[in-house]
Amino acid sequence: MTNTQPSPHTGTTPAGDFILTATDIKKSFGGVHALKGASMTMRRGEITALIGDNGAGKSTMVRSLSGIHKPDSGEITLDGKTVSFDNPNAARNHGIETVQQNLALVEDLTVWQNFFLGREKTHGFGPFRTLDRRVMRSTAEGMLKDLAVNVPPVSSKVRRLSGGQRQAVAIARAAGWGSKIVIMDEPTAALGVQETARVEGVINTLRDSGVAVLLISHNFDQVMRLSDHIWVMRAGTAVAERRTSETNGAELVALITGAKAS
Amino acid sequence: MQAVAAQTRQLSFWAENAAPIGLVALVIVFSILSPTFLTLGNIRAMLVAAAILVILAIGQAFVITTGGIDLSISATMTLGAIGFGLAFSNGLGFWASALVAILSAMLIGLINGLLIAKGKVTDFIATLGTLSVATGLALIISNGKPINVNSPELLTLTSGSLGIFGYPIILAAIVAAVAWFVMFRTRFGLHVQAVGGSEESAVANGISATKVRLAVYLIAAGLAGLAALLLVARVGAAEPAINTQFLLNSIAAVVLGGVSLTGGKAKIVGPVIGALLLTALTNGLTLLGVSQFYQPLAVGLVVVLAALLTRFQKK
């Protein structure tokens, strides 16, 4: 996919630098207007953080981008092309992977089985297809190595993995499908200090490999450490954007609470 | 601390291998107590007698791996048997009648699957209902009377053998081999395990839990239909009997085989050995002249013990 079409966004950044733009997204659930015309962008090769108080619309925004919700109106463009997703698989097919908060791993299955769950490699044809276990094992091993995860053996059950290892496996799985964008919802919320550091390392490696990451986090320190760009949401709209290098925690708090206008 | 860990590991070893260890123990005890137990003739008879239970246990294993349970499995077999008897006595040949048996059984499986996968009815209640429905249907269409079947093919099926392996147990072994392959080497089998392990995660990865659940109840019912052929062959007639013992034993065999009732952990060899164990237990007790009244008691004790042991399975 190339950028033949102009992006709707103009400004200081050349249009081609945006891998994703969401414009004027609206979504209501019954009488509740979760998104009231929110717009945001993500740049290539960057970690974009999405922050905001509970109920600000972060989750709905993310769910709209990952195909779980279909926006009532608004436009999403990916690589300059307008897209719309009816379900999570449609988003995936466009290269948008989501690491859900519950990780969507099956504990009773092995690491490599989880890696390929729902997208298994098979050989043979017709009703005689069998799982290509060898290829899946070695591919999963390679994907974990690439992200420099402290690699659990791919044939161990996920049940035996630590929280950080599970998170790493889920991230590596999301990254491993030639994805352009990986969305992560609170990736370190349940982790200790050491494991958080490891997972942050994985996220950095992922960015360095050219994948655009959308990070939802309540942890300002983490946002300041990891992200390149920050979008702030309040009451169903994106109220401000900042380069991470040009802001600080106090300003972000003020933007989130509305004490400071954007 | 270490001693406790070692003890737990030991218990988990026993729990993981309850069925094979139990089978070996039973064989040793019975062969000491009864000289006929390990004769070729008795082994052959035991294997033939085990065939129906092996096939039912495999069907039950698929359902239980998804975290479900099929209480209608033996009633489904009964309905399949009646379907066969009725078709055969109306002049359809053996193969056509066998097809009727399997299809009429799968009808119950379809109802189970739709109720549970689409209707979100609790598996326990849905299959308890179809247990009654299938039993009732079998009584109604047979008018409550056994249907005699004189089919040379069935006679061959029940009396033919390769060495000490009668055709029924060979059929059961083929079913087991295919089931193992499907469970552990195909995409479908992996999805069965995934849905049982965590339906939410499976669905998030694009697996249709509805289709998987529908499929496992169809498989269980289809295998019950196949077992119905062996049942008719053994009895020489299609009886609208309530085969409760087969239901309890099919679940018992799966539990003995180390499959967790909460789902997610698939095993095929375990339930097969569990079925052999339960058959050997019944056979041995009969040889020893223990009253039939004690057999359900013995089976019950073994199952409860096995269920207790599974608590110590390694996670």
Side-chain angles (χ1 to χ4, degrees):
Chain A
M1 244 179 258
T2 50
N3 293 296
T4 47
Q5 290 180 340
S7 160
H9 271 255
T10 48
T12 49
T13 317
D17 274 9
F18 292 121
I19 185 154
L20 180 133
T21 63
T23 314
D24 202 18
I25 306 291
K26 289 185 181 145
K27 177 75 186 174
S28 317
F29 301 97
V32 182
H33 303 288
L35 291 179
K36 304 170 187 164
S39 302
M40 66 168 290
T41 56
M42 285 178 69
R43 288 171 216 208
R44 263 166 234 292
E46 284 194 357
I47 298 177
T48 306
L50 188 60
I51 61 174
D53 217 343
N54 291 338
K58 301 189 301 283
S59 293
T60 312
M61 188 68 178
V62 164
R63 283 158 182 264
S64 300
L65 297 180
S66 61
I68 297 170
H69 295 326
K70 206 173 152 62
D72 299 331
S73 68
E75 189 189 45
I76 300 171
T77 67
L78 185 65
D79 266 338
K81 294 204 170 100
T82 303
V83 288
S84 98
F85 310 128
D86 290 328
N87 54 56
N89 276 338
R92 275 183 185 171
N93 292 339
H94 279 89
I96 300 181
E97 288 280 338
T98 309
V99 181
Q100 275 150 20
Q101 216 168 355
N102 66 13
L103 302 186
L105 297 170
V106 180
E107 293 189 343
D108 288 319
L109 296 180
T110 64
V111 170
W112 71 264
Q113 285 172 327
N114 269 290
F115 246 93
F116 285 89
L117 197 57
R119 295 183 265 206
E120 299 83 359
K121 298 239 180 294
T122 54
H123 40 203
F125 48 87
F128 303 108
R129 282 179 178 284
T130 56
L131 295 174
D132 198 340
R133 295 150 54 88
R134 202 176 46 78
V135 164
M136 287 194 280
R137 270 207 200 96
S138 60
T139 311
E141 223 161 53
M143 286 159 143
L144 281 172
K145 278 218 183 82
D146 286 349
L147 280 178
V149 182
N150 68 0
V151 190
V154 291
S155 54
S156 49
K157 295 235 163 115
V158 166
R159 190 184 288 288
R160 304 190 150 256
L161 269 48
S162 72
Q165 285 175 322
R166 288 177 194 206
Q167 188 76 46
V169 167
I171 294 174
R173 173 172 69 180
W177 299 99
S179 12
K180 299 172 188 160
I181 296 176
V182 173
I183 301 173
M184 293 183 208
D185 195 355
E186 298 282 359
T188 60
L191 302 181
V193 178
Q194 268 190 342
E195 299 226 282
T196 297
R198 285 212 191 93
V199 169
E200 287 181 359
V202 171
I203 296 173
N204 271 322
T205 315
L206 190 60
R207 182 246 325 260
D208 294 344
S209 72
V211 177
V213 175
L214 182 60
L215 174 72
I216 292 88
S217 179
H218 272 110
N219 182 338
F220 283 171
D221 289 339
Q222 180 171 64
V223 168
M224 296 303 291
R225 266 198 308 274
L226 282 179
S227 70
D228 303 290
H229 197 90
I230 301 171
W231 279 94
V232 181
M233 290 195 71
R234 194 190 328 131
T237 53
V239 291
E241 63 175 314
R242 291 286 184 275
R243 295 303 290 174
T244 309
S245 54
E246 292 161 9
T247 184
N248 55 56
E251 188 190 18
L252 292 178
V253 172
L255 287 169
I256 285 175
T257 56
K260 173 174 176 167
S262 47
Chain B
M1 220 26 214
Q2 227 163 12
V4 174
Q7 210 175 9
T8 319
R9 216 173 309 136
Q10 214 172 11
L11 270 171
S12 113
F13 169 80
W14 287 92
E16 292 285 319
N17 300 292
I21 295 169
L23 182 59
V24 170
L26 272 188
V27 167
I28 292 172
V29 170
F30 282 134
S31 57
I32 292 170
L33 294 178
S34 159
T36 40
F37 186 76
L38 270 190
T39 57
L40 285 185
N42 192 53
I43 292 175
R44 184 185 182 285
M46 260 195 294
L47 288 176
V48 167
I52 293 175
L53 188 55
V54 167
I55 293 176
L56 291 181
I58 291 167
Q60 193 71 267
F62 270 92
V63 174
I64 290 181
T65 301
T66 64
I69 198 156
D70 187 354
L71 298 180
S72 71
I73 197 163
S74 64
T76 303
M77 175 172 70
T78 303
L79 184 64
I82 295 298
F84 180 90
L86 221 59
F88 194 79
S89 61
N90 279 311
L92 270 75
F94 169 79
W95 293 105
S97 305
L99 193 65
V100 170
I102 290 170
L103 288 180
S104 51
M106 284 178 86
L107 180 69
I108 300 294
L110 182 68
I111 297 171
N112 283 337
L114 289 176
L115 282 173
I116 293 161
K118 293 241 188 219
K120 310 284 179 208
V121 179
T122 312
D123 43 36
F124 190 85
I125 300 301
T127 58
L128 193 62
T130 50
L131 178 161
S132 206
V133 167
T135 308
L137 277 179
L139 283 167
I140 292 166
I141 58 179
S142 68
N143 238 335
K145 294 190 202 92
I147 305 163
N148 282 317
V149 174
N150 285 311
S151 151
E153 287 91 347
L154 277 190
L155 199 64
T156 311
L157 179 60
T158 185
S159 60
S161 67
L162 293 173
I164 62 163
F165 301 107
Y167 286 169
I169 195 66
I170 292 175
L171 181 65
I174 293 170
V175 168
V178 172
W180 185 90
F181 190 83
V182 168
M183 186 67 98
F184 297 113
R185 288 292 181 271
T186 69
R187 189 177 269 182
F188 170 72
L190 188 60
H191 292 180
V192 169
Q193 298 172 56
V195 168
S198 165
E199 177 165 346
E200 198 188 347
S201 299
V203 171
N205 285 291
I207 294 170
S208 163
T210 310
K211 277 187 197 156
V212 168
R213 287 193 193 283
L214 193 59
V216 293
Y217 284 99
L218 278 173
I219 288 173
L223 289 177
L226 190 65
L229 301 181
L230 295 180
L231 186 69
V232 176
R234 187 162 98 184
V235 182
E239 295 178 321
I242 304 170
N243 296 300
T244 318
Q245 202 59 40
F246 276 117
L247 163 63
L248 297 181
N249 283 357
S250 74
I251 297 169
V254 174
V255 172
L256 274 173
V259 179
S260 153
L261 286 177
T262 51
K265 293 191 196 70
K267 287 199 170 100
I268 297 294
V269 177
V272 169
I273 295 178
L276 294 177
L277 184 153
L278 290 173
T279 312
L281 180 66
T282 317
N283 176 282
L285 290 174
T286 311
L287 281 184
L288 293 180
V290 176
S291 157
Q292 279 213 325
F293 298 157
Y294 284 88
Q295 287 174 8
L297 180 72
V299 170
L301 286 179
V302 168
V303 170
V304 170
L305 195 67
L308 265 178
L309 264 179
T310 55
R311 281 199 48 229
F312 298 101
Q313 272 184 349
K314 66 166 186 265
K315 286 286 162 70

